[in-house]
PDB file of all heavy atoms in Angstrom:
ATOM      1  N   SER A 235      76.566-180.833  25.856  1.00 69.00           N
ATOM      2  CA  SER A 235      77.152-181.922  26.509  1.00 69.00           C
ATOM      3  C   SER A 235      78.484-181.630  27.007  1.00 69.00           C
ATOM      4  O   SER A 235      79.082-180.587  26.580  1.00 69.00           O
ATOM      5  CB  SER A 235      77.129-183.113  25.652  1.00 69.00           C
ATOM      6  OG  SER A 235      77.986-182.772  24.561  1.00 69.00           O
ATOM      7  N   THR A 236      79.026-182.407  28.024  1.00 68.00           N
ATOM      8  CA  THR A 236      80.343-182.099  28.466  1.00 68.00           C
ATOM      9  C   THR A 236      81.442-182.258  27.299  1.00 68.00           C
ATOM     10  O   THR A 236      82.268-181.329  27.111  1.00 68.00           O
ATOM     11  CB  THR A 236      80.683-183.159  29.474  1.00 68.00           C
ATOM     12  OG1 THR A 236      79.655-183.182  30.381  1.00 68.00           O
ATOM     13  CG2 THR A 236      82.087-182.628  30.287  1.00 68.00           C
ATOM     14  N   ALA A 237      81.054-183.211  26.449  1.00 66.00           N
ATOM     15  CA  ALA A 237      81.896-183.309  25.264  1.00 66.00           C
ATOM     16  C   ALA A 237      81.853-182.014  24.409  1.00 66.00           C
ATOM     17  O   ALA A 237      82.900-181.597  23.942  1.00 66.00           O
ATOM     18  CB  ALA A 237      81.579-184.517  24.442  1.00 66.00           C
ATOM     19  N   GLY A 238      80.643-181.466  24.178  1.00 69.00           N
ATOM     20  CA  GLY A 238      80.523-180.387  23.440  1.00 69.00           C
ATOM     21  C   GLY A 238      81.264-179.196  24.010  1.00 69.00           C
ATOM     22  O   GLY A 238      81.936-178.443  23.340  1.00 69.00           O
ATOM     23  N   LEU A 239      81.290-179.025  25.276  1.00 69.00           N
ATOM     24  CA  LEU A 239      81.978-177.973  25.936  1.00 69.00           C
ATOM     25  C   LEU A 239      83.571-178.068  25.748  1.00 69.00           C
ATOM     26  O   LEU A 239      84.246-177.130  25.493  1.00 69.00           O
ATOM     27  CB  LEU A 239      81.662-177.976  27.531  1.00 69.00           C
ATOM     28  CG  LEU A 239      82.169-176.723  28.199  1.00 69.00           C
ATOM     29  CD1 LEU A 239      81.596-175.385  27.670  1.00 69.00           C
ATOM     30  CD2 LEU A 239      82.024-176.763  29.665  1.00 69.00           C
ATOM     31  N   LEU A 240      83.868-179.260  25.896  1.00 64.00           N
ATOM     32  CA  LEU A 240      85.269-179.655  25.560  1.00 64.00           C
ATOM     33  C   LEU A 240      85.661-179.192  24.228  1.00 64.00           C
ATOM     34  O   LEU A 240      86.697-178.517  23.937  1.00 64.00           O
ATOM     35  CB  LEU A 240      85.626-181.179  25.675  1.00 64.00           C
ATOM     36  CG  LEU A 240      86.994-181.522  26.073  1.00 64.00           C
ATOM     37  CD1 LEU A 240      87.451-181.027  27.274  1.00 64.00           C
ATOM     38  CD2 LEU A 240      87.017-183.125  26.188  1.00 64.00           C
ATOM     39  N   GLU A 241      84.835-179.517  23.313  1.00 63.00           N
ATOM     40  CA  GLU A 241      85.054-179.141  21.822  1.00 63.00           C
ATOM     41  C   GLU A 241      85.098-177.539  21.732  1.00 63.00           C
ATOM     42  O   GLU A 241      86.018-176.902  21.019  1.00 63.00           O
ATOM     43  CB  GLU A 241      83.751-179.543  21.101  1.00 63.00           C
ATOM     44  CG  GLU A 241      83.937-179.960  19.601  1.00 63.00           C
ATOM     45  CD  GLU A 241      82.593-180.580  19.112  1.00 63.00           C
ATOM     46  OE1 GLU A 241      82.305-181.620  19.498  1.00 63.00           O
ATOM     47  OE2 GLU A 241      81.936-179.789  18.527  1.00 63.00           O
ATOM     48  N   TYR A 242      84.266-176.878  22.584  1.00 65.00           N
ATOM     49  CA  TYR A 242      84.231-175.466  22.573  1.00 65.00           C
ATOM     50  C   TYR A 242      85.649-174.877  23.065  1.00 65.00           C
ATOM     51  O   TYR A 242      86.098-174.005  22.460  1.00 65.00           O
ATOM     52  CB  TYR A 242      83.049-175.068  23.489  1.00 65.00           C
ATOM     53  CG  TYR A 242      82.901-173.618  23.483  1.00 65.00           C
ATOM     54  CD1 TYR A 242      82.223-172.950  22.510  1.00 65.00           C
ATOM     55  CD2 TYR A 242      83.285-172.834  24.658  1.00 65.00           C
ATOM     56  CE1 TYR A 242      82.004-171.569  22.549  1.00 65.00           C
ATOM     57  CE2 TYR A 242      83.032-171.511  24.635  1.00 65.00           C
ATOM     58  CZ  TYR A 242      82.279-170.950  23.690  1.00 65.00           C
ATOM     59  OH  TYR A 242      82.137-169.549  23.682  1.00 65.00           O
ATOM     60  N   HIS A 243      86.193-175.557  24.075  1.00 61.00           N
ATOM     61  CA  HIS A 243      87.493-175.169  24.544  1.00 61.00           C
ATOM     62  C   HIS A 243      88.500-175.213  23.412  1.00 61.00           C
ATOM     63  O   HIS A 243      89.254-174.475  23.268  1.00 61.00           O
ATOM     64  CB  HIS A 243      87.865-176.050  25.744  1.00 61.00           C
ATOM     65  CG  HIS A 243      87.395-175.671  27.117  1.00 61.00           C
ATOM     66  ND1 HIS A 243      87.991-174.601  27.762  1.00 61.00           N
ATOM     67  CD2 HIS A 243      86.403-176.161  27.917  1.00 61.00           C
ATOM     68  CE1 HIS A 243      87.261-174.563  28.949  1.00 61.00           C
ATOM     69  NE2 HIS A 243      86.383-175.368  28.920  1.00 61.00           N
ATOM     70  N   LEU A 244      88.304-176.314  22.792  1.00 54.00           N
ATOM     71  CA  LEU A 244      89.395-176.692  21.735  1.00 54.00           C
ATOM     72  C   LEU A 244      89.232-175.748  20.544  1.00 54.00           C
ATOM     73  O   LEU A 244      90.188-175.662  19.789  1.00 54.00           O
ATOM     74  CB  LEU A 244      89.299-178.183  21.437  1.00 54.00           C
ATOM     75  CG  LEU A 244      89.769-179.097  22.602  1.00 54.00           C
ATOM     76  CD1 LEU A 244      89.551-180.491  22.202  1.00 54.00           C
ATOM     77  CD2 LEU A 244      91.140-178.813  23.109  1.00 54.00           C
ATOM     78  N   SER A 245      88.003-175.463  20.189  1.00 58.00           N
ATOM     79  CA  SER A 245      87.761-174.633  19.089  1.00 58.00           C
ATOM     80  C   SER A 245      88.655-173.285  19.406  1.00 58.00           C
ATOM     81  O   SER A 245      88.990-172.968  20.564  1.00 58.00           O
ATOM     82  CB  SER A 245      86.256-174.431  18.765  1.00 58.00           C
ATOM     83  OG  SER A 245      85.758-173.508  19.679  1.00 58.00           O
ATOM     84  N   ASN A 246      88.680-172.518  18.379  1.00 55.00           N
ATOM     85  CA  ASN A 246      89.374-171.298  18.465  1.00 55.00           C
ATOM     86  C   ASN A 246      89.066-170.322  19.550  1.00 55.00           C
ATOM     87  O   ASN A 246      90.039-169.628  20.167  1.00 55.00           O
ATOM     88  CB  ASN A 246      89.139-170.492  17.144  1.00 55.00           C
ATOM     89  CG  ASN A 246      90.246-169.685  16.694  1.00 55.00           C
ATOM     90  OD1 ASN A 246      91.251-169.623  17.476  1.00 55.00           O
ATOM     91  ND2 ASN A 246      90.083-169.024  15.664  1.00 55.00           N
ATOM     92  N   LYS A 247      87.853-170.500  20.034  1.00 59.00           N
ATOM     93  CA  LYS A 247      87.368-169.677  21.199  1.00 59.00           C
ATOM     94  C   LYS A 247      87.932-170.107  22.606  1.00 59.00           C
ATOM     95  O   LYS A 247      87.080-170.681  23.371  1.00 59.00           O
ATOM     96  CB  LYS A 247      85.889-169.515  21.168  1.00 59.00           C
ATOM     97  CG  LYS A 247      85.225-169.088  19.816  1.00 59.00           C
ATOM     98  CD  LYS A 247      83.870-169.404  19.860  1.00 59.00           C
ATOM     99  CE  LYS A 247      83.183-169.221  18.580  1.00 59.00           C
ATOM    100  NZ  LYS A 247      81.886-169.741  18.392  1.00 59.00           N
ATOM    101  N   LYS A 248      89.122-170.018  22.847  1.00 72.00           N
ATOM    102  CA  LYS A 248      89.660-170.329  24.154  1.00 72.00           C
ATOM    103  C   LYS A 248      89.053-169.475  25.329  1.00 72.00           C
ATOM    104  O   LYS A 248      89.109-168.317  25.184  1.00 72.00           O
ATOM    105  CB  LYS A 248      91.204-170.261  24.184  1.00 72.00           C
ATOM    106  CG  LYS A 248      91.851-171.552  23.681  1.00 72.00           C
ATOM    107  CD  LYS A 248      93.202-171.511  24.355  1.00 72.00           C
ATOM    108  CE  LYS A 248      93.673-172.964  24.305  1.00 72.00           C
ATOM    109  NZ  LYS A 248      95.072-173.145  24.369  1.00 72.00           N
ATOM    110  N   LEU A 249      88.526-170.210  26.264  1.00 80.00           N
ATOM    111  CA  LEU A 249      87.968-169.405  27.403  1.00 80.00           C
ATOM    112  C   LEU A 249      89.046-168.851  28.300  1.00 80.00           C
ATOM    113  O   LEU A 249      90.208-169.548  28.466  1.00 80.00           O
ATOM    114  CB  LEU A 249      87.038-170.315  28.258  1.00 80.00           C
ATOM    115  CG  LEU A 249      85.860-170.893  27.413  1.00 80.00           C
ATOM    116  CD1 LEU A 249      85.000-171.737  28.299  1.00 80.00           C
ATOM    117  CD2 LEU A 249      85.037-169.768  26.938  1.00 80.00           C
ATOM    118  N   PRO A 250      88.957-167.701  28.858  1.00 85.00           N
ATOM    119  CA  PRO A 250      89.907-167.164  29.744  1.00 85.00           C
ATOM    120  C   PRO A 250      90.115-167.841  31.087  1.00 85.00           C
ATOM    121  O   PRO A 250      89.189-168.758  31.354  1.00 85.00           O
ATOM    122  CB  PRO A 250      89.394-165.652  30.046  1.00 85.00           C
ATOM    123  CG  PRO A 250      88.217-165.513  29.268  1.00 85.00           C
ATOM    124  CD  PRO A 250      87.772-166.892  28.811  1.00 85.00           C
ATOM    125  N   LYS A 251      91.183-167.531  31.791  1.00 85.00           N
ATOM    126  CA  LYS A 251      91.335-168.191  33.085  1.00 85.00           C
ATOM    127  C   LYS A 251      90.316-167.481  34.048  1.00 85.00           C
ATOM    128  O   LYS A 251      89.801-166.457  33.756  1.00 85.00           O
ATOM    129  CB  LYS A 251      92.662-167.777  33.582  1.00 85.00           C
ATOM    130  CG  LYS A 251      93.858-168.652  32.888  1.00 85.00           C
ATOM    131  CD  LYS A 251      95.035-168.763  33.653  1.00 85.00           C
ATOM    132  CE  LYS A 251      95.972-169.696  33.147  1.00 85.00           C
ATOM    133  NZ  LYS A 251      96.548-169.108  31.851  1.00 85.00           N
ATOM    134  N   GLY A 252      90.008-168.201  35.186  1.00 89.00           N
ATOM    135  CA  GLY A 252      89.171-167.580  36.259  1.00 89.00           C
ATOM    136  C   GLY A 252      87.887-168.183  36.307  1.00 89.00           C
ATOM    137  O   GLY A 252      87.613-169.312  35.778  1.00 89.00           O
ATOM    138  N   ASN A 253      86.905-167.600  36.947  1.00 91.00           N
ATOM    139  CA  ASN A 253      85.573-167.921  37.161  1.00 91.00           C
ATOM    140  C   ASN A 253      84.535-167.574  36.068  1.00 91.00           C
ATOM    141  O   ASN A 253      84.472-166.468  35.652  1.00 91.00           O
ATOM    142  CB  ASN A 253      84.956-167.410  38.507  1.00 91.00           C
ATOM    143  CG  ASN A 253      85.658-167.996  39.674  1.00 91.00           C
ATOM    144  OD1 ASN A 253      86.008-169.176  39.669  1.00 91.00           O
ATOM    145  ND2 ASN A 253      85.807-167.177  40.648  1.00 91.00           N
ATOM    146  N   GLY A 254      83.830-168.621  35.401  1.00 91.00           N
ATOM    147  CA  GLY A 254      82.996-168.356  34.451  1.00 91.00           C
ATOM    148  C   GLY A 254      81.580-168.347  34.978  1.00 91.00           C
ATOM    149  O   GLY A 254      81.225-169.101  35.901  1.00 91.00           O
ATOM    150  N   ALA A 255      80.702-167.509  34.340  1.00 95.00           N
ATOM    151  CA  ALA A 255      79.272-167.442  34.627  1.00 95.00           C
ATOM    152  C   ALA A 255      78.635-168.008  33.478  1.00 95.00           C
ATOM    153  O   ALA A 255      79.017-167.660  32.365  1.00 95.00           O
ATOM    154  CB  ALA A 255      78.724-166.144  35.107  1.00 95.00           C
ATOM    155  N   PHE A 256      77.559-168.813  33.635  1.00 94.00           N
ATOM    156  CA  PHE A 256      76.781-169.419  32.466  1.00 94.00           C
ATOM    157  C   PHE A 256      75.438-168.873  32.528  1.00 94.00           C
ATOM    158  O   PHE A 256      74.719-168.826  33.526  1.00 94.00           O
ATOM    159  CB  PHE A 256      76.829-171.077  32.583  1.00 94.00           C
ATOM    160  CG  PHE A 256      76.125-171.623  31.516  1.00 94.00           C
ATOM    161  CD1 PHE A 256      76.576-171.417  30.181  1.00 94.00           C
ATOM    162  CD2 PHE A 256      75.072-172.423  31.622  1.00 94.00           C
ATOM    163  CE1 PHE A 256      75.963-171.959  29.087  1.00 94.00           C
ATOM    164  CE2 PHE A 256      74.424-173.049  30.571  1.00 94.00           C
ATOM    165  CZ  PHE A 256      74.902-172.871  29.310  1.00 94.00           C
ATOM    166  N   ILE A 257      75.005-168.303  31.326  1.00 96.00           N
ATOM    167  CA  ILE A 257      73.690-167.908  31.168  1.00 96.00           C
ATOM    168  C   ILE A 257      72.864-168.906  30.389  1.00 96.00           C
ATOM    169  O   ILE A 257      73.175-169.241  29.312  1.00 96.00           O
ATOM    170  CB  ILE A 257      73.606-166.574  30.395  1.00 96.00           C
ATOM    171  CG1 ILE A 257      74.379-165.472  31.152  1.00 96.00           C
ATOM    172  CG2 ILE A 257      72.182-166.094  30.361  1.00 96.00           C
ATOM    173  CD1 ILE A 257      74.399-164.144  30.348  1.00 96.00           C
ATOM    174  N   SER A 258      72.003-169.531  31.089  1.00 95.00           N
ATOM    175  CA  SER A 258      71.359-170.827  30.530  1.00 95.00           C
ATOM    176  C   SER A 258      69.908-170.390  29.991  1.00 95.00           C
ATOM    177  O   SER A 258      69.222-169.590  30.624  1.00 95.00           O
ATOM    178  CB  SER A 258      71.115-171.871  31.590  1.00 95.00           C
ATOM    179  OG  SER A 258      70.419-172.897  31.344  1.00 95.00           O
ATOM    180  N   PHE A 259      69.484-170.960  28.884  1.00 95.00           N
ATOM    181  CA  PHE A 259      68.253-170.871  28.380  1.00 95.00           C
ATOM    182  C   PHE A 259      67.455-172.159  28.513  1.00 95.00           C
ATOM    183  O   PHE A 259      66.333-172.277  28.871  1.00 95.00           O
ATOM    184  CB  PHE A 259      68.210-170.364  26.843  1.00 95.00           C
ATOM    185  CG  PHE A 259      66.774-170.243  26.361  1.00 95.00           C
ATOM    186  CD1 PHE A 259      65.861-169.211  26.787  1.00 95.00           C
ATOM    187  CD2 PHE A 259      66.325-171.134  25.467  1.00 95.00           C
ATOM    188  CE1 PHE A 259      64.661-169.197  26.382  1.00 95.00           C
ATOM    189  CE2 PHE A 259      65.024-171.093  24.996  1.00 95.00           C
ATOM    190  CZ  PHE A 259      64.168-169.994  25.477  1.00 95.00           C
ATOM    191  N   SER A 260      68.229-173.231  28.253  1.00 91.00           N
ATOM    192  CA  SER A 260      67.491-174.633  28.219  1.00 91.00           C
ATOM    193  C   SER A 260      67.206-175.085  29.635  1.00 91.00           C
ATOM    194  O   SER A 260      66.446-176.053  29.864  1.00 91.00           O
ATOM    195  CB  SER A 260      68.533-175.503  27.581  1.00 91.00           C
ATOM    196  OG  SER A 260      69.691-175.659  28.343  1.00 91.00           O
ATOM    197  N   GLY A 261      67.867-174.314  30.702  1.00 91.00           N
ATOM    198  CA  GLY A 261      67.585-174.734  32.019  1.00 91.00           C
ATOM    199  C   GLY A 261      68.710-175.620  32.487  1.00 91.00           C
ATOM    200  O   GLY A 261      68.806-175.983  33.762  1.00 91.00           O
ATOM    201  N   LYS A 262      69.525-176.120  31.572  1.00 87.00           N
ATOM    202  CA  LYS A 262      70.720-177.030  31.994  1.00 87.00           C
ATOM    203  C   LYS A 262      71.699-176.058  32.606  1.00 87.00           C
ATOM    204  O   LYS A 262      71.921-174.959  32.314  1.00 87.00           O
ATOM    205  CB  LYS A 262      71.353-177.588  30.676  1.00 87.00           C
ATOM    206  CG  LYS A 262      70.507-178.699  30.144  1.00 87.00           C
ATOM    207  CD  LYS A 262      71.134-179.337  28.968  1.00 87.00           C
ATOM    208  CE  LYS A 262      70.308-180.249  28.192  1.00 87.00           C
ATOM    209  NZ  LYS A 262      70.699-180.468  26.776  1.00 87.00           N
TER     210      LYS A 262
END
Side-chain angles (χ1 to χ4, degrees):
S235 61
T236 316
L239 189 66
L240 201 62
E241 214 173 280
Y242 186 74
H243 273 282
L244 295 174
S245 72
N246 208 359
K247 304 165 186 167
K248 267 209 159 157
L249 298 178
K251 289 204 172 64
N253 290 323
F256 182 56
I257 303 178
S258 175
F259 178 71
S260 62
K262 288 184 191 158

